[in-house]
Amino acid sequence: MYFLLLLIFLLSPVSISALESQSSTTITASIGENRVTIYGYTSPNSRVELSNSQVFAVTYSNDTGYFVFEKTLLPKVDLLDLCLTSFDNNSRQTTPVCFPAPPQTNYQTDIGPVLLPPTISLEESNIDPNSTVVTSGQAIPNSEVSLSFYKVNDSGQSFVKAAQAYSLPSVTAITDEFGNFSLNLPTAYSSNYRLYASTKFDNNYSPKSNTLIYILPSLFY
């Protein structure tokens, strides 16, 4: 009789429920960190900055101009565009290249290759009429650099009404193994000129560089 009562107790719903509660497992989960890997090309041995209002990271390009931001942690908030800027060996700065931040739900995002624009500067700030004007800069090694420029207006004496700005044929150069390039600019007419450069690498074009303005004074001035 005692044995029968014990068997009924062990098989009762209350006993089975108690066993189930003892064997239950608590499972927790969390969303992974949002990381991004960004890679691309710029001038060799340059400082490259990744930034926006909430993100800032720095890396350096190697001898071929290749750079990478490896698994950079992004905050779990709505971000403005991420921007890349490069500084060459002469502290010349590229224009920023910006793109949307990846969604917060992404665990790992890869972006690239990103081609950064060339850096560019004028070797002389004071330009004399009929002198040689040279512009130089740095870009991806062994790549083609196209220089686009246009004449704004004549600064010499003229009785003809000034014309609107118009573009002139672009000129090209090939960067050396260190990414350097230089080009002679037109000086045939007294005028204000604006110019910028872009890089062609692996059949793709970079955004344009900073725009420079140079003024050739009139011979009569």
Side-chain angles (χ1 to χ4, degrees):
M1 183 65 179
Y2 176 79
F3 176 78
L4 181 59
L5 292 173
L6 178 62
L7 181 60
I8 293 173
F9 173 78
L10 291 176
L11 295 179
S12 66
V14 175
S15 177
I16 294 174
S17 175
L19 289 176
E20 287 179 347
S21 64
Q22 291 176 2
S23 62
S24 63
T25 303
T26 301
I27 300 175
T28 59
S30 61
I31 300 175
E33 296 174 331
N34 190 0
R35 296 180 179 271
V36 63
T37 295
I38 303 172
Y39 62 97
Y41 293 89
T42 186
S43 53
N45 305 309
S46 296
R47 174 188 171 97
V48 184
E49 295 181 356
L50 171 66
S51 63
N52 72 2
S53 60
Q54 295 174 299
V55 177
F56 184 78
V58 174
T59 190
Y60 290 85
S61 60
N62 63 17
D63 292 340
T64 67
Y66 177 79
F67 67 88
V68 60
F69 290 89
E70 187 72 34
K71 296 182 178 179
T72 301
L73 181 63
L74 301 179
K76 286 286 187 180
V77 295
D78 290 332
L79 292 176
L80 300 176
D81 288 354
L82 299 172
C83 294
L84 292 171
T85 307
S86 178
F87 300 82
D88 69 12
N89 297 328
N90 294 310
S91 299
R92 291 172 295 200
Q93 180 178 343
T94 67
T95 51
V97 176
C98 301
F99 42 87
Q104 298 180 33
T105 54
N106 287 21
Y107 172 72
Q108 171 66 37
T109 304
D110 295 335
I111 300 175
V114 180
L115 303 184
L116 297 187
T119 58
I120 188 172
S121 63
L122 292 173
E123 292 189 353
E124 296 291 339
S125 57
N126 296 321
I127 302 172
D128 296 325
N130 295 326
S131 64
T132 300
V133 182
V134 178
T135 183
S136 61
Q138 287 189 312
I140 303 169
N142 304 309
S143 64
E144 181 182 292
V145 174
S146 296
L147 186 68
S148 301
F149 53 96
Y150 51 96
K151 194 168 72 163
V152 180
N153 68 283
D154 271 339
S155 58
Q157 294 182 353
S158 175
F159 296 101
V160 180
K161 183 178 180 181
Q164 298 295 325
Y166 59 91
S167 62
L168 300 173
S170 61
V171 292
T172 60
I174 302 298
T175 58
D176 62 19
E177 60 181 325
F178 304 108
N180 299 309
F181 70 90
S182 62
L183 289 165
N184 292 330
L185 302 179
T187 59
Y189 301 99
S190 300
S191 178
N192 298 347
Y193 288 87
R194 297 186 182 184
L195 64 121
Y196 60 85
S198 62
T199 305
K200 181 181 180 182
F201 178 73
D202 197 20
N203 291 322
N204 293 300
Y205 291 89
S206 75
K208 73 180 187 69
S209 69
N210 293 304
T211 299
L212 301 182
I213 299 176
Y214 71 101
I215 300 173
L216 297 177
S218 170
L219 291 172
F220 301 99
Y221 180 72

